[in-house]
Every structure is written in structure tokens, then in C-alpha cells.
Amino acid sequence: MYQLIDPILVAVLLLNFAALGASQLRTVIHAIALQGVLLGVLVVVAHNEFTIWAVLMACAAITLKGIFIPRLLFHAIREVSIRREVEPIIGFIASLLLGGLGTALAVLFSNTLPIAQEHVGSLIVPAALSTTLTGFLILTTRVKAITQVVGYLVLENGIFIFGMLLVEAMPFLVEIGVLLDLFVAIFVMGIIINRISREFSTVSTRNLSSLKE
Amino acid sequence: MLISQIIVHVVLLLVMPPLLLGVIGKTKALFGGRVGPPLFQAFFDLIKLFQKGSVISSTTTWVFRAGPVVGLATAILAGLFIPFGGHASPVSFSGDLILFAYLFALGRFFTASAALDTGSAFEGMGAAREVTFSCLAEPALFFGFLVLAKLSGSLSLTAMLDGPMPNSWGAAGASLVLVAASLFIVLLVENSRIPFDDPNTHLELTMIHEVMVLDHSGPALGMILYGAAMKLFVMCALLLRIVAPFDSGNIWVDWGIFAVGMLALAMVIGVVESIMARFKLTFVPTFLVAACLLSAFGIILLLR
Amino acid sequence: MTQLLVITAIVLHAISGVPGLLFKRSADAGQKLSVALSTFGTVVGITGSIASLWFSTPKTSIIAIDGLSVIFLLPIFLISTLGSIYGLSYWKQADHPDNGQKLRLFYGLVTAALAAVTIAANAIVFLVAWEIMALSAYFLITTEDKDTAVRESGWVYLIATHLATLCLFGLFALLHSATGSFQLSPLTAGAVAPGVFTAMFLLALIGFGLKAGLMPLHMWLPGAHAMAPSHVSALMSGVLIKIGIYGFLRLCSLLPEPPLWWGGVILAVGVTSGVLGVVFALGQHDLKRLLAYHSIENIGIITIGIGLAMVGRTLERTDFVLLGMAGALLHVWNHGLFKSLLFLSAGAVIHATHTREIDQLGGLAKSMPRTALYFAVGAAAICGLPPLNGFVSEFLIYLGLFHSLNSGSGMTWTAAAFAIPALAMIGALAVTCFVKAFGAVFLGVARSEHARHAHEAKSMMTGPMLALVGFCLAIGLTPLLVAPVLEHGIRAWEPAAFDSGQKLTMLAPLGWLTIAGAALIVLITLGSFVLARRLRRCGVNPGVTWDCGYAAPASTMQYTSSSFAQMIVALFSWVLRPRVETPAEQPVFANAAHFHSHVSDIVLDGVLRPSFRFGAKITSSFRFLQAGNIHAYLFYIVLFLICLLLWR
């Protein structure tokens, strides 16, 4: 089971690139949903055995990250009738290149970190770092409020991957707490999106700068 | 390396390429619910073209005629460096992969110049697109070569693809998946397939490769078609050996495996062409950069 | 003996312009005498340099000829003389009575000074020769000194070259402090603090990099190359900027135990120069500026080879040193050959059409078939396409970079992974750029009256080009022949490179390149034969170009060079910063509209000029101090004295 971790993480990293390079909101959300499902699978794989808790945890992650939140986002697109294209501040090619650079740096940097013996050579740390970076990149370079939510999700996924390092040490309560945290955050953001759209009749975060006074 | 093996290699290289076009066409027809042209249609086209007279624009010079010839010659020569299936290629030396890539560049130089020789706006446009996209495809190809060279510790295509390929999958599967994906994108772009280019569209404005050859007719057009098919064949052979490195032990069975594999790959291309819509032209560079990143990531995985 | 031959050659070149001064300004005899002297000098010089490879002569304290000198001497003599012959017809003294003699004089002097730099064994001799070279080149660039743009380019060159000389002063001062003499001999590791070596390395990189035109230091190069007469551009691009490479190589060979990061820095600079050089070339509309930016690109490729060789020296990997240096040195030759070929053919075009604007040309392949063919060969060679010489040197560098894959050190690993795709991209971009240049200048239909009335160049001009084409083909097809000379050059640079018994011919399958090149030529010939036969058999109807049904295609409908490069320029707009003036929105019945795009140099026009303007603005606010009133000046002196008194 354990040797499945790296292929799954490679797929997670590729989905990061997909989220960075895709021009359609739907594609981006699909990529994030798939990433969520893969992370759920990762929980089981990382525990290395089918305990009831691991399976429950995986189910929770898959339902929340893979099904529930994406549906929420799709719902938001329909309800608030957002245009279906991502509006990047920097171009798609530039975002892809930055993402690639971030991944390369993450790999190089993770080689210098003092990590537990059994994780040396595994992709967990580089994948976590680069997913977090990708999340930040999406947060900082996309205009729409809904892509902000996506960026936050990716960021959170990165932190989730970090959690795989502590799979023995971390009690399930904490993991579930993290998931709950995510849920609340998305919920709040959903409300904010609705607010933005009602106030400004668009959902571009650019308009928020008029509140700076 | 037996003489018989060389002969089989050369015969396959010269005869099989048009068949791939037929398989792709048939697959697309199947998806469209049509009967489609016969499998050997490309052969019939070639034979017919070589017997037709041609119209040559009075603005052109020798460059216009050099384009098809150089394009075909470079594709044939490049085909001699690629191992087909598990068989060594007829010619191989350390560093032949560089010559392989640069031969295609030579072909591109002359086909694009030939397009500019007509003085047509459309052909200039096609030539510009062709050479521009190759600027991004070339690094992706070389990133892929880097991975293969690192895995095999050798610098000739035969040694890179032949012996160690089956074992490499166990050692560095993730890297090879990435390289294969990247090479597949490069293959589709360089050979002007959907979703990056559509040779069958009726609008010259949107084409890449086909619009370059608008003015060629008769035998010259035949040479271009044949050269393009051969380029497709050669690049498919490179990809096939990476994704399906099967050896049976018997050399003649291996030839069979290779031929069947090539046809299957052509079907995959046909399926991709059938189920995907064409991307906006401005997105082609994005995909090529993504292809570069994929294989670059493949090296990073090996580097760790 | 061999030294005497080379010195004779240098003297002959130096005085080659002098006889012309004795004749009338527009007389033909002077220039013919000058060409004769220069040709004789070249024959003597090449004989002497090749002989010195086998008959070693004792080094004196002033001059020393080793393998590295010979590598650089050969193209200096060869290209200078070919350019000199070309000048007979291109810059006839009868046509240019006011600057023809000046051009001949300084052309000979610059050649002699270049050769003298390469054989100097002493820093003082080196600097004297260097300065003669730099100043003569200034007078060559400003040949047409009546033109403001020419004077301005010359001015930028003069500043840049003196900045370089300043760095060299610092460099040789450090050398003197380390060894106690001005002799250019290897230093020992413990002689001075390692920081001094690092300072010397950086000074050399900046000083020689300025001369060679490495990317951030290239500001003088495009203007100077574009403004000089074409055979001078050929000489400058072909050999003069290589002297920067020579100086850098010579100095690096003196410094002991280079740390790994030196190689890394050189590689990074090389990659930057290579990629950005060709990208800037793509944005140009001026044929000679385009070629000038390609010089920056090719210097970048040479630098990548040197970087690899430096890494090899640090890691004691002889295969890196051999392949990297062989590639770099061969590319020095190759670039000299194909770039002078391109500049000479560009000169023929300019001579025939009186314009350098690519978008004014077109269709010249019909009126100038020989020039078009030679330009095509040069273009294919500079793109590194087989079977020409550019491919061989790039092949060696690629091979060396691939070799670094199985070195243990992580640093070289990333360097290689970084440089190989970059080199591939440089190659593909160069193809794009030269398809654009060749296509827009020679193919299609003439775009202006200038181009319509073009005529083929005289044989005095096409002859030297043909000779260069011959050299390009010869090196491309039989690289084995040049391998021994290259090995002599490498041995002079790093004697330890041959300790392990490896040889260049063992590492690089040069024989196979001959076979592949021959096979390619056979296949192309066969294909042309088949096509010609089929065309004859099936009949050819002449027609007009198919423009999607439009029956009267015009020259203005052709794709221009700017549109051809537009996609790449847009992809790289983050560094090119093109200025685009798009036409305003039009009413239903549109009026005539203008579209204009321009790519200016990022360092000169983007950084240096604005910062100098800013500096001028700040300092000009102090101008009120200079009142022109003697009392005020005396008052300043008093004020200054009082300040001094108070300070103590």
C-alpha cells in the first residue's frame, strides 16, 4: 500500500498544474474535486491498513472535498451567474511557469529539511509545499471571488498532505477538526460571495478595493 | 545487427506511415457513424498525386521545390535512428538523439521557407505558427530525452529505448508517465492533429500545418503528405517504445508486436481526435509549456 | 621562426592601409595594394600559426603562441582578408572618397591589433594591443561620421569599451599584486587570498564580457554592428567580439582551482545571453541589427561551452573539459565563418537596395540568386542545422551537457538539466528568426521600389562569400579534420585534460556526423531528382499564388517579418517590452490606418538611458551654482576653505 503514495502525489501535483493552466472555471473545479478524492484515498493508503477510523476519515474527506464543496461551487456559478472563464491577473503561461518553478524549489528545499527517516525520499513534503504554493498563487493571481475559494481549497489540501507525515501521531479528532474548519471557511466564503454579488452585482474582488477608505 | 533486420526496418519505415493515416481516418469515421475512406486511402492519394501535373506560382524560386524534398529526406533519415520496438535501429551512435531532433528542425526550416516563397499571407501565417510552436515543443522533447538518458545512462536512441526500457518502468514509473504524456502532446502538436490543429477545417485562417502547403500541388504535395506521415510514424515509434516496452524474445514476433502497437497508437490518436474539440489557437503555447513542465517535473523526480 | 612569420603577418596587416594614403583619395591603386598586402599577410600568418602547432618555439617575455592563440589567429587572418577583398567592390574608394582611405587604414590596424592581443605574453603588451584594437574599431564604426546615428552608436561603443579597459586595468593590477610581475603565467593556489581570485574572475567576466557582448553587457553591440560598413560588421561580429572570449579563456586558464560556482555563473550567463539574444533578434526590423543580436546569442552558446569546461575543471572531469571546450572553440570558428557570411550577404543586399529595413525588401532570390543561396547556407548554419558547421559545435556542447547527467554532483546535474532544453529552445528560436529573415528578404515578392530594382552583387563580393560557404560545408561534413587543432587549443587551456588518456575523437562520434551528413545530401539529391523527373513527366503550369480565391495577390498582402515574429514577441513581451501603436477605431468606411511596433534594447534604452537622464536631471538642478561670475567662484573657494577649517 505504502508504495502507492508517490504515484497519488504525482497525480495531485499534476492537478495543481491543471488548476493553474485551465481557463474554464468548471475545469478548475473538477481538478480540485479530483484532488480532494485523491487526498481521501491517500488517507487510507498512508495508514497502511483498513481501520474503521481511517475509512471513515477518507469518506469524510472525499464527501467534503470531492463532492460537497465542488457542488457548492457549481451551485454558486449557476446561482450568481458568473462568467465561466477564469480571469487571471498574470497570464496562464506565466502562472504555469511560476507553478513549475515553485514545484522545483519545493523539491530542492525539502531535501534540506530535517524529516523523519521513513519520509526521506518520499514525495510528501515536496507535494505539500508545492500544493500550498499553488494555493497561494491562485489566491494572489486570480480576480474572481470564486477562484479565491478554489485557491483557499488548494492551500488547505497542501496542509492536509503535510498531515500525512504525522499519520501515527495525529489523533483523528484533530483531522476531523481540520475538515470542519475547512467546511466553516467555505461556508463563510459562500456567504461573502453572495454579499459581493448583491452589493456590486459582480463577483470580482477588484471591487473590494473601493472599500479601502 | 542482421541485414534482414535492417531491411525490415527500412521497409516498415517506407511503407507503413500512410497506413497510420488510414487507421486514424477509419477510427474517426467509426466515431462519427460513417463508413469512412478505405484503410489504404492515403496510398491511393499518394499514387494519384505523383501522377498529376502541378501548378507552380510564378513568384516562387528553387526554395519552393526544396521544401517538400528536404522535409521528406530529413524524415526518412530521422527514421533510421529510431529503434522500432525492441530492435536496434540501423544507425546509432552516441548523441544521435541530437541529430534526430535537428533533422526535423532542418525540415522545418525549408518547409516554412517554401511557404514564404509563395508570397501569400495565409502561407506566411501558417509558417509563423509552425516555427513558433516548435520553439516550445523542442525544449519539451529535450527534457524528455534528458529523462531517458538519465535512466539508461546512454546517449543513443537505440541504447536509451532498447534494453533498459522495461526495467525503467519499475524504477521510475512516475517519470516515464510524465515523459510519455509530454511526448504525446508534442506528437499531436508537431503532427498537426486535433485538439491543436485541424487539417480538415475549411478556414485557412485557423490552420497551422496545412495552410503552409496550400500552393503545393501534384508530386510536391505528394512528397509533403508522405513526409508528414513519416514524421508521425517516427514520433509514434518513439512514444510507443516508452509506453509499451514489451519484448517477447523472438525477433519476428517482436516486429508483429511493434506493428500492432503502432496501429493501436494510431487508433488512440483517432479516438483523441474524435472526442476532443479543437483548442483555441492561443492556448496551444499554454499546452506546450505544460508539456515542458511535465517532462521537467519528470527529471526533478529523478533528481531527488 | 614561426613567431617571426606571425609577426611579419601582423606588420603586413598593420601597414596595409598606409600605401593608400599616398595615392589620390579616389584612386583605385591604393586599395588594391592594401588588399595585396593583407592577402600576403594572411598567407604568411596562417602558415606561421599552423606551423607553430607542430614546431614549438620558446616563449619570450613579450609574445607566446600556443594552441589557444592559434585557434583565434586563424579566423582573424582569414576573415579579415576576405572582408578586405569584399571591400574592393562594396566600399570602392572611388565611391567613398572622404572615408575610403580611413576605412582601409583602421581595418588593417584592427586586424593587426587583434592578432597581437592573441599572442601577447605580457599584460602590458596585451593592454597596448587591446587599446589599439578598441580605438581602431571606434574609427571603423564611425566610418560614416556625417550621420548622427552613426556618431551616437560610436559614442556608446567608446564608453563601453573603455569601461572594459578599466576592468582590465583592475584585473592586471590584481595579477601584479599576486605574482609580482605582469607576465601572463599560471598562478599558484596559495599565492593570495581566494577573494582576490574571485575578484579577478569577476573583473574578467565583466571586462571581457563587455567586449564579447554577453547579455546584460551588450549595449554597444547592436548599434555598432548595424552602423558600420558590412565588411566591418563581419569582422567585428566574426572575430572582434571573440577577442573577449579569448581574453576570458586566457585568464581562466591562469586562475587555479576554480570553485564550482564560477562554472555555474558562466553557464547561467551563457543561457541568458543565448535565449534573450535570439528573442531580441526576433523583434528587429533592421537586417543588420537582427544579425547583431544573433551574435549575442552565439556568444551565449560559446559561453555555455566554457561554463561546462569550467565545471569540468573543478570536478576534474576531463570529458566535460574536452567536449565543452571543443564545442566552444569550434563555435568560435563557426560563428566567425557563418556570421561573416551573413553580414557579407546582408551587405550585398544593402548595396543593391540601399535599405536595411527587412519589411522594405522581398523577392531578392530572383534578382540576386547567388547571394540568396549563400545567405540560406549561412542561415542554416547559424541555426545549427545539419550538415553544416554550426551543428557540429552545438553537437559537442550538447554531448558535454548530457555527459554531466552521470556526474555525482547535484549542482552540475541541475545545470545540465537547465542548459540542454535552453539550448534546444535557442536552436528553435534561431530557426524561427532566420526563416523570418530569409523569407522576408529573399522570398516572395518585392515590397518596395528599392527591392524591385536590385541586382546581383559583383564577383568581388560573392567570391569571399563562396569561400565562407565552402568552409562552412567543409567543417560540417568533415569535423574529424579539425579535431587535432581543437585538441591543441584545449591542451593550452587545461593541460590536465588529456591526463586520463581520453581524446576528443573517442568522446564524440565525429566520423558518424560525416556519414550522416553525406547520407542527408544523398537523400536530398535523390529527392530533388525524383521531383524534377515527376514534374517534367507530368507537366507544370505556371500560375499565381493561391490566396484563397483572390485572383490578384499584391506584394502588400504578404506576411511581413513583423507579423511573422508577432507570436513570439507576444510570448516574450515580459522582457522585450514592444512598443505597439495600433490604429484607432475606424468608422464604417475605414480610412487609411497605420500600425507600428518596435522593440528597443532593454539594457540601453530601458535601463541605461533613463538612468542617465535621471542623473542628468538631478545634477542639472545644481547648475545655478555655475553662475559664470568670477566672484561667485572665489566665494565657493572661500566657503570650501572655511569648511575645511571647521572640519579639523
Side-chain angles (χ1 to χ4, degrees):
Chain A
M1 286 280 268
Y2 213 75
Q3 64 272 23
L4 272 179
I5 290 188
D6 276 7
I8 292 180
L9 287 175
V10 170
V12 167
L13 284 172
L14 291 184
L15 286 170
N16 284 343
F17 287 128
L20 279 175
S23 62
Q24 297 284 314
L25 270 181
R26 293 178 62 85
T27 325
V28 178
I29 296 171
H30 277 303
I32 298 310
L34 192 55
Q35 201 174 42
V37 173
L38 283 176
L39 290 187
V41 177
L42 195 63
V43 175
V44 183
V45 172
H47 280 85
N48 217 3
E49 52 185 343
F50 283 103
T51 57
I52 183 87
W53 276 110
V55 174
L56 261 182
M57 194 47 222
C59 285
I62 291 176
T63 331
L64 195 61
K65 286 170 184 276
I67 300 168
F68 184 69
I69 296 177
R71 294 200 86 175
L72 209 69
L73 291 175
F74 280 127
H75 180 75
I77 293 180
R78 254 198 321 279
E79 282 300 296
V80 205
S81 58
I82 299 170
R83 270 170 53 84
R84 277 144 214 284
E85 281 105 38
V86 178
E87 287 176 57
I89 294 173
I90 57 171
F92 289 113
I93 293 181
S95 340
L96 270 176
L97 286 178
L98 281 177
L101 191 69
T103 310
L105 288 181
V107 172
L108 291 181
F109 179 63
S110 66
N111 284 345
T112 64
L113 283 182
I115 24 182
Q117 195 54 47
E118 70 261 31
H119 296 303
V120 171
S122 121
L123 263 181
I124 292 182
V125 179
L129 278 175
S130 113
T131 310
T132 318
L133 282 175
T134 309
F136 274 122
L137 201 60
I138 295 179
L139 275 173
T140 47
T141 61
R142 301 293 191 260
V143 173
K144 286 200 174 104
I146 199 149
T147 31
Q148 301 279 336
V149 182
V150 171
Y152 179 73
L153 262 174
V154 176
L155 184 71
E156 214 285 326
N157 282 350
I159 298 167
F160 193 87
I161 301 174
F162 259 127
M164 294 300 127
L165 281 180
L166 307 169
V167 99
E168 280 91 37
M170 192 150 82
F172 284 111
L173 214 57
V174 179
E175 287 191 34
I176 290 179
V178 171
L179 280 181
L180 198 67
D181 205 27
L182 174 74
F183 177 65
V184 172
I186 298 294
F187 203 73
V188 172
M189 279 192 162
I191 296 170
I192 292 177
I193 291 180
N194 252 324
R195 285 276 154 188
I196 299 177
S197 84
R198 210 175 301 161
E199 290 299 320
F200 300 105
S201 70
T202 81
V203 277
S204 165
T205 48
R206 276 198 183 125
N207 293 315
L208 288 179
S209 60
S210 65
L211 297 176
K212 71 183 174 204
E213 292 298 306
Chain B
M1 183 91 205
L2 290 165
I3 295 292
S4 62
Q5 301 298 304
I6 297 181
I7 292 174
V8 176
H9 184 104
V10 174
V11 168
L12 271 183
L13 176 68
L14 292 179
V15 173
M16 210 172 150
L19 188 59
L20 292 195
L21 295 182
V23 172
I24 294 176
K26 217 40 176 181
T27 316
K28 284 166 82 172
L30 202 70
F31 268 81
R34 295 175 280 122
V35 180
L39 269 181
F40 294 96
Q41 184 61 44
F43 291 98
F44 306 147
D45 289 348
L46 284 178
I47 292 169
K48 185 156 204 179
L49 281 172
F50 272 97
Q51 287 166 347
K52 267 179 144 6
S54 35
V55 180
I56 293 185
S57 163
S58 51
T59 58
T60 58
T61 57
W62 58 273
V63 179
F64 182 73
R65 265 155 288 178
V69 173
V70 177
L72 181 60
T74 51
I76 292 179
L77 196 56
L80 295 180
F81 295 119
I82 282 279
F84 288 170
H87 306 276
S89 58
V91 191
S92 81
F93 53 88
S94 174
D96 57 4
L97 54 101
I98 305 159
L99 186 58
F100 174 80
Y102 272 71
L103 278 174
F104 283 123
L106 178 66
R108 193 160 57 235
F109 183 89
F110 275 95
T111 37
S113 295
L116 287 177
D117 202 12
T118 60
S120 148
F122 295 101
E123 281 165 67
M125 197 151 44
R129 287 172 187 165
E130 171 101 350
V131 290
T132 302
F133 294 151
S134 69
C135 291
L136 297 169
E138 207 86 325
L141 186 65
F142 269 88
F143 267 127
F145 281 154
L146 268 177
V147 172
L148 297 179
K150 177 69 184 170
L151 280 176
S152 64
S154 127
L155 292 181
S156 82
L157 284 167
T158 296
M160 267 177 9
L161 295 170
D162 240 12
M165 210 58 220
N167 308 332
S168 298
W169 271 98
S175 291
L176 282 177
V177 171
L178 294 171
V179 168
S182 152
L183 283 183
F184 191 60
I185 295 180
V186 171
L187 180 138
L188 292 179
V189 175
E190 285 277 303
N191 294 291
S192 49
R193 316 304 317 182
I194 300 173
F196 300 103
D197 184 14
D198 184 2
N200 295 328
T201 171
H202 63 281
L203 247 187
E204 289 89 344
L205 271 176
T206 62
M207 295 195 257
I208 301 173
H209 182 79
E210 291 306 304
V211 73
M212 278 208 303
V213 301
L214 274 181
D215 251 280
H216 288 279
S217 54
L221 182 61
M223 280 186 149
I224 287 175
L225 271 186
Y226 191 39
M230 196 160 301
K231 189 174 173 189
L232 176 71
F233 182 79
V234 169
M235 295 191 76
C236 279
L238 173 67
L239 181 63
L240 180 70
R241 185 59 191 168
I242 297 175
V243 294
F246 304 123
D247 291 323
S248 66
N250 180 327
I251 45 173
W252 297 107
V253 176
D254 278 354
W255 282 117
I257 293 179
F258 169 72
V260 172
M262 289 299 278
L263 297 181
L265 196 53
M267 274 167 71
V268 171
I269 296 174
V271 171
V272 169
E273 291 213 345
S274 308
I275 60 174
M276 288 189 82
R278 200 184 147 183
F279 291 125
K280 261 202 294 202
L281 202 62
T282 44
F283 278 119
V284 178
T286 315
F287 276 94
L288 283 172
V289 169
C292 284
L293 285 177
L294 285 180
S295 37
F297 188 43
I299 303 168
I300 292 175
L301 284 182
L302 278 184
L303 165 67
R304 281 187 311 125
Chain C
M1 180 61 202
T2 55
Q3 283 183 348
L4 203 64
L5 284 176
V6 175
I7 291 173
T8 315
I10 291 177
V11 172
L12 282 171
H13 273 284
I15 60 163
S16 68
V18 177
L21 298 176
L22 305 175
F23 292 92
K24 238 174 52 189
R25 277 172 177 270
S26 55
D28 214 24
Q31 54 178 354
K32 283 192 176 146
L33 207 55
S34 148
V35 170
L37 281 173
S38 149
T39 314
F40 183 53
T42 294
V43 172
V44 173
I46 288 184
T47 320
S49 0
I50 291 179
S52 73
L53 288 178
W54 280 275
F55 308 104
S56 65
T57 44
K59 283 187 183 179
T60 67
S61 60
I62 298 172
I63 59 167
I65 305 176
D66 62 4
L68 199 57
S69 320
V70 173
I71 296 263
F72 285 82
L73 277 173
L74 294 178
I76 291 173
F77 286 137
L78 178 73
I79 290 164
S80 159
T81 294
L82 289 179
S84 187
I85 297 170
Y86 179 91
L88 276 182
S89 173
Y90 179 74
W91 209 265
K92 251 195 219 150
Q93 287 194 4
D95 301 345
H96 300 273
D98 34 345
N99 52 31
Q101 288 172 315
K102 172 176 116 181
L103 181 64
R104 284 282 169 200
L105 180 66
F106 287 110
Y107 193 87
L109 262 183
V110 83
T111 312
L114 281 167
V117 168
T118 63
I119 61 168
N122 181 300
I124 305 292
V125 180
F126 186 97
L127 273 178
V128 170
W130 181 273
E131 209 40 32
I132 295 176
M133 179 260 301
L135 289 178
S136 325
Y138 169 74
F139 288 110
L140 288 178
I141 293 167
T142 55
T143 301
E144 291 178 287
D145 48 13
K146 291 199 173 112
D147 190 341
T148 337
V150 170
R151 282 204 304 273
E152 198 189 335
S153 296
W155 188 233
V156 175
Y157 164 78
L158 202 61
I159 297 171
T161 194
H162 278 110
L163 209 59
T165 312
L166 196 65
C167 291
L168 297 193
F169 276 138
L171 174 66
F172 289 130
L174 285 178
L175 181 78
H176 190 264
S177 78
T179 62
S181 86
F182 280 116
Q183 218 55 34
L184 293 175
S185 48
L187 301 166
T188 42
V192 274
V196 176
F197 288 138
T198 304
M200 285 172 80
F201 169 75
L202 291 178
L203 278 173
L205 189 62
I206 296 172
F208 293 123
L210 268 165
K211 179 78 5 189
L214 282 172
M215 190 54 181
L217 306 169
H218 68 278
M219 57 283 193
W220 64 273
L221 199 149
H225 281 53
M227 294 304 169
S230 292
H231 59 306
V232 174
S233 313
L235 185 74
M236 289 211 307
S237 184
V239 294
L240 190 133
I241 59 171
K242 305 300 170 11
I243 215 69
I245 296 289
Y246 168 78
F248 187 62
L249 279 176
R250 178 62 75 192
L251 191 98
C252 284
S253 76
L254 303 182
L255 297 178
E257 294 174 10
L260 197 52
W261 67 268
W262 288 9
V265 166
I266 302 174
L267 267 174
V269 170
V271 168
T272 318
S273 273
V275 176
L276 293 187
V278 64
V279 169
F280 270 98
L282 268 160
Q284 304 305 314
H285 308 303
D286 178 329
L287 183 56
K288 282 177 77 178
R289 273 185 88 86
L290 181 144
L291 293 177
Y293 274 109
H294 270 285
S295 298
I296 299 171
E297 172 226 322
N298 279 283
I299 287 290
I301 295 176
I302 294 171
T303 312
I304 293 176
I306 298 175
L308 180 70
M310 284 297 270
V311 171
R313 259 181 78 187
T314 312
L315 300 178
E316 297 181 347
R317 287 284 304 258
T318 51
D319 51 344
F320 296 6
V321 177
L322 281 177
L323 289 169
M325 272 303 279
L329 293 180
L330 187 56
H331 208 72
V332 165
W333 280 9
N334 290 343
H335 181 243
L337 294 170
F338 52 63
K339 185 48 75 64
S340 355
L341 170 59
L342 287 168
F343 265 119
L344 294 187
S345 26
V349 168
I350 294 163
H351 198 251
T353 61
H354 306 290
T355 177
R356 296 200 305 255
E357 280 292 307
I358 298 176
D359 285 337
Q360 297 285 314
L361 301 168
L364 296 184
K366 284 215 187 64
S367 45
M368 315 176 71
R370 272 183 292 165
T371 309
L373 179 64
Y374 301 155
F375 189 91
V377 173
I382 199 173
C383 297
L385 299 177
L388 293 162
N389 56 350
F391 178 71
V392 181
S393 40
E394 287 193 25
F395 180 80
L396 290 171
I397 295 177
Y398 267 117
L399 219 53
L401 290 172
F402 269 112
H403 266 261
S404 68
L405 276 182
N406 41 30
S407 70
S409 167
M411 158 77 199
T412 52
W413 218 106
T414 32
F418 178 61
I420 288 176
L423 208 50
M425 190 162 176
I426 294 171
L429 285 167
V431 169
T432 309
C433 193
F434 274 97
V435 169
K436 160 187 144 165
F438 179 57
V441 174
F442 290 101
L443 305 179
V445 192
R447 290 184 177 83
S448 68
E449 279 306 308
H450 299 302
R452 216 157 284 141
H453 299 125
H455 54 86
E456 180 59 281
K458 300 250 170 56
S459 56
M460 273 303 170
M461 283 158 77
T462 50
M465 292 191 237
L466 182 61
L468 290 167
V469 166
F471 280 112
C472 286
L473 270 170
I475 296 183
L477 284 174
T478 53
L480 269 178
L481 293 184
V482 298
V485 184
L486 294 178
E487 285 187 342
H488 276 287
I490 302 168
R491 198 186 300 270
W493 189 72
E494 168 71 358
F498 295 89
D499 284 355
S500 63
Q502 275 180 314
K503 289 193 114 157
L504 188 58
T505 40
M506 285 152 62
L507 286 169
L510 295 177
W512 277 108
L513 294 189
T514 307
I515 296 173
L520 185 62
I521 290 177
V522 168
L523 274 175
I524 291 177
T525 319
L526 209 66
S528 319
F529 180 69
V530 169
L531 183 63
R533 233 176 93 103
R534 290 312 316 174
L535 286 181
R536 215 174 323 118
R537 186 74 50 88
C538 311
V540 176
N541 298 318
V544 289
T545 295
W546 167 250
D547 249 335
C548 300
Y550 189 70
S555 67
T556 46
M557 287 165 55
Q558 293 176 91
Y559 224 47
T560 60
S561 72
S562 326
S563 1
F564 194 86
Q566 189 269 333
M567 283 181 93
I568 298 259
V569 171
L571 271 178
F572 285 91
S573 58
W574 49 275
V575 54
L576 291 177
R577 315 217 156 266
R579 270 205 324 273
V580 182
E581 291 162 28
T582 41
E585 226 163 86
Q586 295 272 0
V588 179
F589 297 101
N591 308 316
H594 267 284
F595 174 86
H596 181 79
S597 74
H598 182 72
V599 172
S600 43
D601 193 88
I602 188 165
V603 178
L604 185 62
D605 300 314
V607 179
L608 291 181
R609 278 193 215 274
S611 55
F612 281 130
R613 261 200 300 277
F614 182 70
K617 210 159 107 189
I618 294 219
T619 44
S620 67
S621 61
F622 292 102
R623 196 174 273 168
F624 72 92
L625 290 174
Q626 191 178 4
N629 183 343
I630 191 83
H631 302 99
Y633 296 141
L634 288 173
F635 174 67
Y636 296 153
I637 294 173
V638 174
L639 216 59
F640 185 64
L641 282 175
I642 293 172
C643 286
L644 277 182
L645 287 172
L646 286 180
W647 181 53
R648 241 1 276 178

